[in-house]
Amino acid sequence: MGGGCFIQLTTVAVLFLSLTSSVLSCPPSDRAALLAIKAALNDSYLGIFNTWTGADCCHNWYGVSCDQETRRVADINLRGESEKPISNNAHRTGYMTGYISPAICKLTRLSSVTISDWKGISGEIPRCISDLPFLRILDLVGNKISGTIPPEIGKLHRLTVLNVADNLISGKIPLSITNIKSLMHLDIRNNFISGPIPRSIGRLRMLSRALLSGNRLSGTIPASISRIYRLADLDLSRNQISGSIPKSIGKMAVLTTLSLDLNKISGQIPITLLSSGISDLNLSRNALEGNIPNAFGARSYFTALDLSYNNLKGPIPKSVSSASYIGHLDLSHNHLCGQIPIGSPFDHLEASSFVYNDCLCGKPLKTC
């Protein structure tokens, strides 16, 4: 083979390898966006960004995953409390400061963003995040993020998980959130979110968990919640919610946990709640009044039933004994009166379940 041919073959090989490498690498624009995200965050403890080097951000960049066909960045998964070791500082939780750069919005093929449990990340959620058409998961739990939930969050029509719990977020729940028909998990616990729950929340038909506790939510419980037929866990505790409990909530097909404690809820306990499929019911520390409905039956199965710290009066209904199971029962700090029924579940309950009522008597309290 002549020297000229060898040079030509070598040139072709180099070009082929170069083209192959460029095809298999992430686009320079995605790499630049990731480096801008890195520049806005300060990880001086675990050093996870030490892996963000080289031309190909799809290869061995910690927490970055790419689509196999397009080589576009599809997932960012950075957890401060990771289950797998990040570096030599394994088995120790991470701490990161800085903010989430708006450059994240240039990663237009993102499917999931998890930047959670870093405790020190502040700033706001970039409003442009609502423009990521393929985003399915947004998980920013456990930081110091402030500002509001982006008002146009409803544009994320593929979103299934929105988790911004344990931050410093304020403002209201955006009305547009009820446009996300795919939303399955909503967690905004422990923030400073105020205002009412959107009346149209019932449009979120795929929602299975709605965790809204520990905020400053006010107004009443929207009756439309009962139209979310997949909802299994509803937590509105530790807010400033008032008004009565919609009777229709007790008719929800798969609701098993209902936490409304530490609010300003008034009115009577709906009969439907006591013969529903709810197994963990906490209505404590409200302003509920009237008698406890005598509506327990074979469908009543409670691992925990807490009605303490209300204004309930009258006797303990005898039908409680016909419930199929009651594990924990707390009726303390009310205005109940009369004899505590005999038999299950009362034979395994302690005095603390009944104290601070007007005139309850019988075991485990004093005899009548």
Side-chain angles (χ1 to χ4, degrees):
M1 182 182 294
C5 291
F6 179 77
I7 292 171
Q8 284 183 333
L9 287 172
T10 303
T11 303
V12 169
V14 169
L15 284 172
F16 176 77
L17 288 172
S18 177
L19 288 170
T20 303
S21 176
S22 65
V23 168
L24 294 177
S25 298
C26 68
S29 58
D30 279 17
R31 182 179 180 275
L34 287 172
L35 291 178
I37 293 168
K38 171 185 175 179
L41 296 169
N42 179 24
D43 167 34
S44 57
Y45 185 72
L46 291 176
I48 64 171
F49 292 129
N50 294 342
T51 64
W52 287 28
T53 59
D56 186 6
C57 58
C58 297
H59 182 66
N60 290 338
W61 283 38
Y62 180 86
V64 177
S65 301
C66 296
D67 182 270
Q68 292 298 314
E69 293 182 5
T70 65
R71 306 303 291 171
R72 296 293 308 279
V73 175
D75 303 292
I76 296 176
N77 186 5
L78 303 174
R79 297 180 186 273
E81 297 182 353
S82 180
E83 295 179 359
K84 60 182 180 180
I86 298 173
S87 66
N88 293 330
N89 294 312
H91 309 300
R92 300 167 75 177
T93 58
Y95 183 81
M96 190 185 292
T97 56
Y99 63 96
I100 299 172
S101 170
I104 199 169
C105 304
K106 295 180 180 179
L107 301 171
T108 55
R109 299 293 300 191
L110 272 178
S111 174
S112 70
V113 175
T114 299
I115 304 175
S116 62
D117 296 314
W118 290 106
K119 305 174 183 67
I121 294 177
S122 55
E124 300 187 2
I125 303 171
R127 291 184 62 159
C128 60
I129 211 152
S130 301
D131 296 326
L132 295 175
F134 299 98
L135 196 63
R136 297 178 182 274
I137 296 171
L138 180 59
D139 185 351
L140 306 175
V141 61
N143 291 295
K144 289 184 178 177
I145 295 170
S146 57
T148 63
I149 298 173
E152 295 185 336
I153 192 94
K155 290 166 62 178
L156 298 175
H157 294 300
R158 299 172 189 248
L159 199 67
T160 60
V161 174
L162 175 60
N163 187 354
V164 295
D166 301 320
N167 277 289
L168 304 173
I169 294 170
S170 56
K172 297 182 178 181
I173 300 174
L175 290 176
S176 73
I177 206 169
T178 63
N179 294 330
I180 311 175
K181 303 295 176 59
S182 57
L183 195 62
M184 300 173 66
H185 181 101
L186 174 62
D187 191 348
I188 62 172
R189 289 176 293 178
N190 303 325
N191 280 286
F192 298 95
I193 298 170
S194 58
I197 301 168
R199 312 308 298 174
S200 55
I201 193 170
R203 296 172 64 189
L204 300 176
R205 299 297 178 89
M206 299 295 289
L207 200 62
S208 61
R209 301 190 79 197
L211 310 177
L212 284 64
S213 64
N215 281 287
R216 297 174 177 175
L217 297 173
S218 57
T220 59
I221 302 171
S224 71
I225 280 182
S226 60
R227 295 203 292 268
I228 309 176
Y229 59 89
R230 292 174 180 264
L231 194 62
D233 188 353
L234 176 60
D235 188 353
L236 304 179
S237 63
R238 296 180 291 121
N239 279 292
Q240 299 169 19
I241 295 170
S242 56
S244 58
I245 303 170
K247 297 177 182 178
S248 54
I249 287 183
K251 298 177 181 178
M252 296 177 68
V254 297
L255 189 66
T256 56
T257 300
L258 178 61
S259 303
L260 303 178
D261 46 300
L262 278 163
N263 276 290
K264 300 177 180 179
I265 298 170
S266 57
Q268 299 190 351
I269 299 173
I271 292 175
T272 53
L273 291 185
L274 303 180
S275 57
S276 67
I278 298 171
S279 60
D280 190 339
L281 178 61
N282 193 339
L283 307 180
S284 67
R285 299 178 187 273
N286 278 290
L288 294 168
E289 55 194 16
N291 290 13
I292 300 173
N294 190 28
F296 293 84
R299 281 203 69 200
S300 307
Y301 185 102
F302 291 101
T303 55
L305 174 60
D306 193 342
L307 307 179
S308 64
Y309 290 91
N310 279 291
N311 297 316
L312 301 171
K313 62 179 184 179
I316 298 174
K318 287 184 169 56
S319 65
V320 174
S321 299
S322 64
S324 59
Y325 178 78
I326 297 182
H328 171 77
L329 176 67
D330 193 345
L331 305 177
S332 65
H333 297 85
N334 278 289
H335 301 289
L336 301 174
C337 199
Q339 183 168 359
I340 297 171
I342 301 171
S344 179
F346 303 99
D347 50 10
H348 73 262
L349 297 174
E350 299 181 0
S352 58
S353 295
F354 307 101
V355 295
Y356 296 104
N357 276 288
D358 287 0
C359 47
L360 280 181
C361 59
K363 189 178 181 181
L365 301 179
K366 62 182 180 180
T367 55
C368 297

